[in-house]
Amino acid sequence: MDLHAEMLLEQYRDLLPDIQALKGAVENIIRNEIKNSGIFINSCSSRIKTESSLSGKLELKGGKYKDIFDITDIFGARIVTYYSSDVDRIASILEKTFIVDRENSIDRRKVYNVDQFGYLSLHYICSLPEKLYKNDDHPNLNKIRFEVQVRTTLQDAWAQVTHDIGYKSDVEIPKMILRRLTRLAGILELADEEFNSIKQDSDQYRKGVKQIVASGNFNEVELNIDTFTEYVEVNPFRNLLRRIQTINNMDVQEVSLVPYFRFLKALGAKTLGDIEKMRRDNEEDAYQFALRLFGETDLDIVASSVAMMTTCIVHLFKIGSGIAGLVIMLNVVNGERASNEKVAQRYFKIGQAMGLVKQ
């Protein structure tokens, strides 16, 4: 290593505390900005180039750098998204948050040629603006440039695997290997596009479902996990839950109603209209059942699913389903437990006393 490279390496050692402070600041900023955006990502990681790694780089290219601040990848972060459309959303966040060095940044998605080997990713060279974060203990922090890579999960898998195999885009690759890798790259690119298309179609479908559910036209909506989730968001059991809550002035513990989806499907419900009819037809009896179930107890907290539960129980009584049907419901909703039989017998006795059980 020549004298100039040694000088750069010494600068690196002196600058290392500032680099470490930058790493912590950038990590926090990126994670918070992504969280606030509502984008779900696969991972966000970062690393500081080790002294040995930097030494190897300086031995090869040390002459192109005047000082340590000319090196743009001493610190780097990588954001891995699930969908290709989110790469652009993340890019927009980075551009608004950091100072982007356009000249040294590269969007490989835009320069990718059919005869090139490799895969697509976005590489931004950034620096941290003082108005966003400044630390007087680390005065050089805002002068250090760093790299942020943004890629999809499949792009990251490609990069990791090809790196492990030992081939990079700037080396001679045996034609047999190149052909296989190129075919695989095409498959992954198509898969990335298809995943993104499926997500867009799924989002559009959910928007349509949300609008129909909000309109109250439940008979038009097929029952599936997406529509059931939207139905629950409307909170159709709200009034019944409030009435049950007042029995003992109980607090409500929020729980998911998703376990009831499988049970309702097993009952033969095909549309949200079927569930809505069951709710309307059984609301008063469900309240009276809850009154007998909780009225003589000192219970002070109840699950938010109690309105759905009592509605299903009353419905089972009315269709002639006995203790066996109650056990099946409890097994599906709460998991198979030895106590479910005893609980079902208790429910059944209340139903008999109310005259709801078909003889």
Side-chain angles (χ1 to χ4, degrees):
M1 184 181 299
D2 61 24
L3 186 60
H4 181 67
E6 289 284 1
M7 180 197 72
L8 293 174
L9 205 57
E10 186 62 32
Q11 286 184 329
Y12 163 83
R13 297 187 188 104
D14 293 340
L15 200 62
L16 195 54
D18 291 344
I19 300 171
Q20 291 168 337
L22 176 67
K23 180 178 184 291
V26 169
E27 280 181 350
N28 288 333
I29 291 168
I30 289 177
R31 291 182 189 278
N32 288 334
E33 290 293 329
I34 292 176
K35 181 180 179 181
N36 292 336
S37 73
I39 303 173
F40 292 99
I41 62 171
N42 185 338
S43 65
C44 178
S45 59
S46 63
R47 63 98 185 99
I48 296 174
K49 191 180 286 293
T50 64
E51 184 170 329
S52 61
S53 177
L54 180 59
S55 296
K57 179 171 186 159
L58 293 177
E59 286 182 1
L60 293 174
K61 304 177 181 179
K64 65 181 288 189
Y65 306 116
K66 292 181 180 179
D67 60 35
I68 196 68
F69 296 105
D70 283 341
I71 303 176
T72 59
D73 63 348
I74 289 179
F75 161 61
R78 178 178 298 153
I79 304 166
V80 181
T81 70
Y82 288 109
Y83 306 102
S84 56
S85 58
D86 287 338
V87 172
D88 290 320
R89 296 175 66 191
I90 298 291
S92 178
I93 291 172
L94 296 175
E95 291 172 4
K96 293 176 182 177
T97 305
F98 301 118
I99 301 170
V100 177
D101 180 353
R102 300 283 182 181
E103 185 177 345
N104 289 293
S105 299
I106 181 170
D107 187 348
R108 291 181 178 170
R109 300 171 303 168
K110 297 178 180 178
V111 300
Y112 190 73
N113 298 321
V114 293
D115 60 341
Q116 285 183 326
F117 168 72
Y119 207 57
L120 321 178
S121 59
L122 176 66
H123 297 244
Y124 273 172
I125 303 302
C126 306
S127 56
L128 187 59
E130 290 188 7
K131 64 180 181 181
L132 181 63
Y133 183 86
K134 184 179 179 181
N135 189 328
D136 292 335
D137 293 332
H138 300 282
N140 290 311
L141 184 146
N142 301 98
K143 295 167 59 179
I144 303 168
R145 285 181 292 176
F146 56 91
E147 181 181 51
V148 182
Q149 297 180 4
V150 190
R151 56 173 62 143
T152 69
T153 299
L154 289 181
Q155 290 168 356
D156 190 55
W158 167 269
Q160 299 290 348
V161 171
T162 51
H163 181 271
D164 182 65
I165 292 173
Y167 290 123
K168 295 185 178 181
S169 58
D170 58 351
V171 302
E172 186 70 26
I173 303 171
K175 290 184 178 180
M176 178 188 67
I177 300 295
L178 175 60
R179 182 172 182 274
R180 293 169 65 184
L181 288 172
T182 303
R183 288 170 60 197
L184 183 57
I187 292 172
L188 289 175
E189 186 174 351
L190 288 172
D192 236 359
E193 291 176 358
E194 189 61 15
F195 276 131
N196 199 63
S197 177
I198 289 171
K199 170 135 187 334
Q200 291 174 345
D201 290 346
S202 179
D203 288 345
Q204 194 64 36
Y205 169 73
R206 288 192 175 99
K207 287 180 183 177
V209 167
K210 189 185 291 286
Q211 291 172 353
I212 295 174
V213 171
S215 73
N217 298 323
F218 299 121
N219 290 325
E220 299 178 14
V221 186
E222 177 188 358
L223 177 61
N224 57 47
I225 189 60
D226 288 327
T227 59
F228 181 75
T229 301
E230 291 298 333
Y231 176 71
V232 169
E233 287 293 321
V234 176
N235 205 2
F237 291 87
R238 159 175 74 251
N239 292 334
L240 176 57
L241 178 59
R242 286 174 179 168
R243 293 180 69 192
I244 294 174
Q245 183 183 2
T246 60
I247 293 172
N248 285 337
N249 291 321
M250 296 178 285
D251 292 327
V252 174
Q253 179 182 2
E254 291 295 329
V255 298
S256 173
L257 291 181
V258 169
Y260 284 90
F261 168 71
R262 284 197 302 129
F263 178 68
L264 292 167
K265 290 288 285 186
L267 278 179
K270 291 181 170 54
T271 69
L272 293 184
D274 294 334
I275 303 176
E276 183 63 10
K277 184 177 186 305
M278 184 180 78
R279 183 193 67 79
R280 290 197 309 267
D281 291 349
N282 297 297
E283 182 168 344
E284 184 57 33
D285 289 326
Y287 171 71
Q288 293 299 326
F289 178 88
L291 195 61
R292 288 163 175 78
L293 183 63
F294 302 120
E296 297 181 1
T297 71
D298 58 358
L299 196 68
D300 60 0
I301 189 168
V302 68
S304 60
S305 60
V306 67
M308 173 74 85
M309 180 193 77
T310 53
T311 299
C312 289
I313 290 171
V314 168
H315 179 73
L316 287 173
F317 291 150
K318 293 181 179 180
I319 64 175
S321 183
I323 292 176
L326 292 171
V327 171
I328 291 173
M329 183 196 80
L330 292 170
N331 285 340
V332 171
V333 173
N334 299 329
E336 295 189 15
R337 303 173 183 172
S339 60
N340 284 346
E341 179 78 26
K342 183 180 287 188
V343 173
Q345 290 174 357
R346 183 186 176 203
Y347 291 169
F348 190 75
K349 287 180 181 179
I350 295 174
Q352 283 181 315
M354 292 176 64
L356 295 175
V357 175
K358 283 190 175 183
Q359 302 298 326

